[in-house]
Amino acid sequence: MSKIEELAHAVEIGKAKLVPGLVQEALDEGNAPIDILNKGMIDAMAIVGDKFKKNEIFVPEMLIAAKAMKKGVEVLKPHLAGDNSAKIGKMAMGTVSGDLHDIGKNLVIMMIESTGYEVVDLGIDVPVERFMEAASDPEITLIGVSALLTTTMPAMQETVAALNKHPRRSEFKVIVGGAPITPAFAEEIGADAYSDDAASAAETAKALAKK
Ligand code: B1M
């Protein structure tokens, strides 16, 4: 079994104590940080999701897998983040009201920070009012909205609708994403941009900063 396969298995079964060491060993073996993230952790979470769907595991197992992944990301973070010395904008990002998933949001924040954005993390279960308040900060140039559940897509729609009426709307862009979100949905609800993963969200954020 390769180190990345060992890591993926440890994430899948929620071995939070083993995961940081396995990430370090995978790095020491010369594996690319992005492969460790994608193949060693994100793919493992997809397996966890599939097992949950098939009733093979339940919420507590999903939670311990999530905790294990977070421990691994802590080790990987300095290796994924680039040079962010030149500030290109300020972003506020959160997961919508009713939604408690934050691993994807945290990865998106990490990658966008690496492009030079200062990011205010609004957290999870963020009410529309909190997004509106964040958008009032005169330095904010980008708002990120994440949703992981089909049942919280309407909350994303409400959030973007409210942001679209914000008095500062012409001064910031809105980017949305998360597993159930599609480019068509993003367009339908009036977001400026959609990205399907953290790396492309960082590319999109960089491009939006130039507009
Ligand atoms: Co939840 N959960 N969960 N869960 N969970 C999913 C999302 C699910 C797909 C599992 C499944 O059934 N297969 C399913 C949703 C089904 C649906 O709506 N269609 C589900 C469910 C049903 C639930 C509960 C309802 C279960 C229950 O209680 N019965 C419940 C809801 C709680 C709530 O939010 N109100 C629940 C709870 C939980 C835990 C708390 C146990 C835990 C979350 C812990 C945490 O986040 N701290 C959890 C987990 C871990 C998952 C899975 C297994 C993994 C999620 C994850 O972290 N993925 C997930 C299954 C899956 O995703 N396959 C599942 C890894 C992460 C890197 O990917 O978050 O997709 P992701 O982020 C990506 C992209 O989406 C994108 O970039 C990220 C990085 O590449 N992205 C953006 C995300 N936001 C973006 C924003 C952008 C751009 C890109 O711009 C702003």
Side-chain angles (χ1 to χ4, degrees):
M1 203 190 268
S2 75
K3 203 49 77 185
I4 289 187
E5 283 166 346
E6 245 182 88
L7 170 64
H9 182 64
V11 169
E12 193 189 318
I13 60 172
K15 293 280 180 201
K17 284 193 180 143
L18 288 183
V19 165
L22 287 169
V23 171
Q24 191 56 55
E25 285 169 36
L27 284 166
D28 295 344
E29 273 186 2
N31 291 288
I34 196 73
D35 286 341
I36 301 175
L37 177 69
N38 287 332
K39 297 180 196 157
M41 293 194 268
I42 295 184
D43 286 358
M45 293 308 276
I47 295 173
V48 170
D50 282 346
K51 285 190 169 172
F52 174 77
K53 214 162 144 187
K54 291 183 200 148
N55 287 325
E56 288 170 17
I57 61 166
F58 301 95
V59 171
E61 286 93 338
M62 274 209 289
L63 201 53
I64 58 166
K67 280 188 183 153
M69 172 157 177
K70 282 187 179 187
K71 290 278 176 205
V73 171
E74 278 169 25
V75 179
L76 210 51
K77 188 173 176 177
H79 301 272
L80 284 166
D83 170 23
N84 60 1
S85 48
K87 186 171 165 181
I88 62 167
K90 185 171 177 183
M91 179 190 200
M93 172 150 175
T95 304
V96 295
S97 176
D99 202 319
L100 306 177
H101 296 84
D102 70 352
I103 295 178
K105 167 187 71 65
N106 296 344
L107 286 177
V108 171
I109 288 178
M110 190 174 89
M111 297 300 277
I112 290 184
E113 273 176 343
S114 78
T115 68
Y117 274 89
E118 175 188 350
V119 184
V120 180
D121 184 355
L122 302 176
I124 51 173
D125 192 15
V126 180
V128 175
E129 299 72 32
R130 183 70 193 95
F131 279 103
M132 293 294 272
E133 201 182 296
S136 299
D137 175 344
E139 284 185 35
I140 288 287
T141 53
L142 184 63
I143 303 265
V145 188
S146 177
L148 257 291
L149 299 168
T150 45
T151 51
T152 55
M153 289 170 73
M156 175 178 274
Q157 184 160 19
E158 278 167 38
T159 304
V160 176
L163 287 169
N164 283 344
K165 291 190 186 133
H166 196 284
R168 286 191 66 250
R169 183 62 178 94
S170 59
E171 293 164 56
F172 62 82
K173 303 283 183 197
V174 176
I175 177 171
V176 298
I181 311 305
T182 61
F185 180 73
E187 198 183 333
E188 186 192 317
I189 65 174
D192 298 304
Y194 158 85
S195 290
D196 70 348
D197 63 24
S200 57
E203 284 305 311
T204 306
K206 221 156 81 177
L208 289 172
K210 291 188 186 135
K211 285 192 179 166

